[in-house]
Amino acid sequence: LHRVYDRWNQGRLQSFLIEITSKILDRKDTKGDGALVDKILDKAKQKGTGKWTSQNGMDLGIPVPTIDVAVSMRAISALKEYRQLAAAAYPKPELSEKPEDLEAVCEQALYFAFIITYAQGLHQLSEASAEYDYDLDLATVARIWRAGCIIRAAALDDIAQAYQREEGLKNLLLSNGFVPVLNECAPAARSVLQYAIKSGIPMPALSASLAYFDAFTTGRLPMNLIQAQRDYFGSHTYERTDQDGVFHTDWGDQ
């Protein structure tokens, strides 16, 4: 696996996290046999950065589901005793047939998730800048991240250029430069997730990234039903697609 990551680190997936992952996977255990990573307890800790990001996203009404689920997975990992009990009660399915050229497909899927996550975070910063009068230049933000942040990656060069070229850009999914890239990589994300789901392998961050992509690129979502439900149980009203104004229905009157 470390050789795979080494190759990825030379291409468009070049990033600090990919680089250190390669080194971690290559480190042998000096206190025993095998790889050191296999001896590390699977309970991830956190200091609050992700939680604060998620909380602020909720406050702003800007979805950052990939970040949200990353925080949640750390919390799930801390429930080690419960997970071990549940693992004994719920057997996993057999590994399904893997996609052809799995290495290349995973590379595209990971790049897709990278861009989607950057899109969520930068969209949040865009709205935060407007809400809190930060006057942020997102192209500059991307360059700062590129220069020395833990999430630095080669992709940030293209991201900075997108925000510099396309004035007023709110979300990378709307960037002319990233539309063809995401269209190219989305099928790989679907393929990897199909393999993972059939095999009982949790991949919540990739799943959240794809769900965000599918929702953001859907012109009409089934949220009309939620609006009807809210009006039914709480008289919260709704808007119509064919008339201006705000409406309420007496749903008990058929």
Side-chain angles (χ1 to χ4, degrees), residues 73-253:
M73 280 302 294
R74 292 191 185 208
I76 290 175
S77 79
L79 305 175
K80 177 71 173 180
E81 294 181 10
Y82 299 114
R83 290 192 289 115
Q84 289 177 314
L85 291 172
Y90 299 97
K92 297 291 185 183
E94 296 292 329
L95 290 177
S96 67
E97 183 178 352
K98 68 180 182 180
E100 293 184 12
D101 199 3
L102 181 61
E103 179 182 320
V105 172
C106 285
E107 182 177 355
Q108 282 197 313
L110 184 56
Y111 187 71
F112 174 86
F114 271 22
I115 300 304
I116 293 296
T117 309
Y118 281 129
Q120 293 172 18
L122 286 163
H123 189 191
Q124 180 176 356
L125 284 177
S126 174
E127 294 300 321
S129 181
E131 178 70 17
Y132 308 128
D133 296 322
Y134 288 159
D135 194 25
L136 295 178
D137 182 335
L138 295 183
T140 301
V141 170
R143 292 192 193 96
I144 292 172
W145 288 350
R146 181 69 172 102
C149 177
I150 192 174
I151 61 171
R152 63 183 181 268
L156 285 164
D157 290 333
D158 295 332
I159 291 171
Q161 291 174 17
Y163 279 100
Q164 189 168 12
R165 284 193 312 264
E166 302 176 49
E167 185 177 353
L169 179 64
K170 295 293 186 180
N171 192 298
L172 280 178
L173 271 69
L174 302 176
S175 167
N176 293 328
F178 279 96
V179 168
V181 173
L182 292 170
N183 278 328
E184 174 193 353
C185 294
R190 300 185 195 283
S191 179
V192 171
L193 279 172
Q194 286 172 349
Y195 172 68
I197 291 168
K198 290 179 180 178
S199 302
I201 301 170
M203 298 189 73
L206 181 59
S207 179
S209 296
L210 183 60
Y212 173 89
F213 173 79
D214 284 338
F216 197 91
T217 57
T218 297
R220 181 170 171 80
L221 291 169
M223 299 300 109
N224 50 331
L225 177 58
I226 292 177
Q227 285 300 90
Q229 290 171 331
R230 293 180 71 249
D231 188 56
Y232 191 114
F233 70 70
S235 299
H236 293 297
T237 72
Y238 57 87
E239 296 173 276
R240 295 179 59 99
T241 60
D242 57 349
Q243 299 176 32
D244 293 332
V246 176
F247 300 86
H248 167 67
T249 294
D250 182 356
W251 296 94
D253 183 16

